Amino acid sequence: MDVTRKEFLGLTAASGAALILGSSALAAPAPIARRKIPKSGEMLPVIGLGTARTFDVEGTPEELAPCKEVLRQLFEGGGSVIDTSPSYGEAERVTGELLASLGARDRAFIATKISTRGDRDEGIQSMKGSATRLKTDHFDLMQVHNLKNLKTHLKSIRELRDAGKTKYVGVTHFRPGAYEHLEKVLKSETLDFVQLKYSLSTREAENRLLPLAKDKGVAVLINRPYDLGRLFRAAKGKSLPPWATDFGAESWGQFFLKFILSQDAVTCVIPGTRKPKHMVDNLGAGRGPLPNTKQRQIMVRFLEEL
């Protein structure tokens, strides 16, 4: 097997470290960065996990094994945020069962949603069902999904918070076409979190929503950071530009995630996966430097030319 000079140097350095410090020195990755939740000061890891589609599995041992390993890698790598919803098929149930089997509920920051358009009672029943499926008696973040029946469900979530059953209140949306509405909500409601779509290829939130969230002291979760695979399709067969190493990107996934994290209004990005190696790679984006303003501009132009 041919080994490049860079690989050879890396191998010899790693061997030296193992001899000096012991093999356990190579086992633990560096911790990922954390950012403050503005309303509380709690520090949250910048890379989390989304479960839409990826954790919607029936639950055979063959299906559950990679999902369980994804969660294990999330926690081992210093992550905690798991975002799910009753509308994601089996995702809540699978998440709850795997957290229980790992004994990891206390390591998880569970964010879920009221996704019904129904009335107050339906919203309350939705939250009770989520608690049952997730095998928990409390949530970390409860969100109104896609602003459905917003006023009614926000009131119920605030009552849940006042009862000590959720720490944070939030809202979500994933369609840029709804961002004008979302902007009005951010201006009119007192919220702890907002979840929205933002990526290198979908930047509508950049000029108004992200600065507004920062100004209002609202933590930001980012969904669909790879634009449903569009970014990977654009980069397929192409090598990372050599200047990506200037901000520590070692893969296309890290390249795309670091672009998002270079926005200081962003608290945590929640890419979905059921592949453990992708979870490990995603976590890598939470380590090391991030692109500066000039580099961000170069990244945008680079994508436009792909």
Side-chain angles (χ1 to χ4, degrees):
M1 180 181 69
D2 293 331
V3 178
T4 66
R5 180 174 181 272
K6 181 178 180 182
E7 290 169 337
F8 174 77
L9 292 173
L11 287 169
T12 55
S15 299
L19 287 171
I20 295 169
L21 301 175
S23 60
S24 62
L26 302 180
I32 64 173
R34 292 173 174 256
R35 290 183 178 172
K36 187 180 295 185
I37 299 173
K39 294 292 175 65
S40 69
E42 179 181 357
M43 301 299 289
L44 209 61
V46 296
I47 300 293
L49 174 68
T51 62
R53 298 179 179 84
T54 54
F55 274 42
D56 181 16
V57 296
E58 287 301 316
T60 65
E62 294 77 16
E63 291 173 319
L64 289 177
C67 295
K68 185 174 183 178
E69 181 62 14
V70 162
L71 289 178
R72 193 184 70 78
Q73 292 292 346
L74 172 72
F75 299 133
E76 186 173 293
S80 64
V81 178
I82 304 169
D83 181 77
T84 188
S85 172
S87 60
Y88 296 168
E90 298 297 316
E92 280 191 331
R93 179 185 61 79
V94 167
T95 299
E97 290 180 0
L98 294 179
L99 286 176
S101 69
L102 287 166
R105 172 62 186 94
D106 291 344
R107 301 178 71 182
F109 182 102
I110 292 180
T112 190
K113 308 171 183 79
I114 298 178
S115 60
T116 177
R117 296 186 184 278
D119 60 14
R120 168 184 164 82
D121 288 343
E122 287 187 36
I124 291 172
Q125 288 304 312
S126 174
M127 293 189 288
K128 289 180 178 179
S130 291
T132 299
R133 290 184 291 273
L134 288 163
K135 299 183 183 297
T136 187
D137 63 354
H138 69 285
F139 308 100
D140 296 284
L141 168 61
M142 181 61 70
Q143 305 156 101
V144 179
H145 200 185
N146 296 339
L147 308 179
K148 297 174 183 177
N149 199 354
L150 179 69
K151 293 287 187 181
T152 296
H153 297 326
L154 268 183
K155 182 178 180 182
S156 296
I157 295 173
R158 287 171 178 142
E159 290 171 353
L160 192 75
R161 177 196 58 197
D162 294 344
K165 296 299 183 180
T166 187
K167 285 198 285 187
Y168 301 110
V169 177
V171 298
T172 82
H173 220 295
F174 68 96
R175 290 195 179 98
Y179 284 1
E180 184 175 351
H181 185 193
L182 189 56
E183 182 179 359
K184 292 177 181 177
V185 171
L186 280 171
K187 290 178 177 178
S188 63
E189 298 287 349
T190 301
L191 300 167
D192 303 313
F193 276 82
V194 62
Q195 182 183 146
L196 51 84
K197 178 182 178 181
Y198 176 63
S199 71
L200 182 56
S201 55
T202 308
R203 301 190 302 278
E204 287 88 341
E206 194 168 271
N207 294 325
R208 295 172 67 177
L209 282 177
L210 292 181
L212 177 59
K214 183 177 179 180
D215 183 62
K216 300 285 285 186
V218 176
V220 179
L221 298 182
I222 298 298
N223 59 42
R224 301 193 175 185
Y226 300 134
D227 208 356
L228 293 180
R230 176 187 169 191
L231 288 169
F232 288 116
R233 289 191 293 272
K236 187 176 181 180
K238 298 177 175 65
S239 299
L240 274 175
W243 43 264
T245 59
D246 293 344
F247 48 85
E250 298 178 347
S251 67
W252 280 115
Q254 293 180 17
F255 185 89
F256 301 137
L257 292 177
K258 280 178 174 283
F259 176 84
I260 297 169
L261 289 172
S262 65
Q263 288 277 2
D264 62 2
V266 171
T267 310
C268 178
V269 188
I270 48 172
T273 185
R274 60 169 165 258
K275 295 185 177 181
K277 66 179 181 179
H278 291 170
M279 185 73 257
V280 173
D281 189 63
N282 291 342
L283 287 164
R287 303 185 182 99
L290 295 171
N292 59 33
T293 301
K294 183 177 179 180
Q295 289 167 330
R296 285 173 52 82
Q297 294 168 349
I298 294 172
M299 294 169 84
V300 170
R301 290 198 299 270
F302 182 78
L303 177 66
E304 292 171 348
E305 293 170 1
L306 282 180

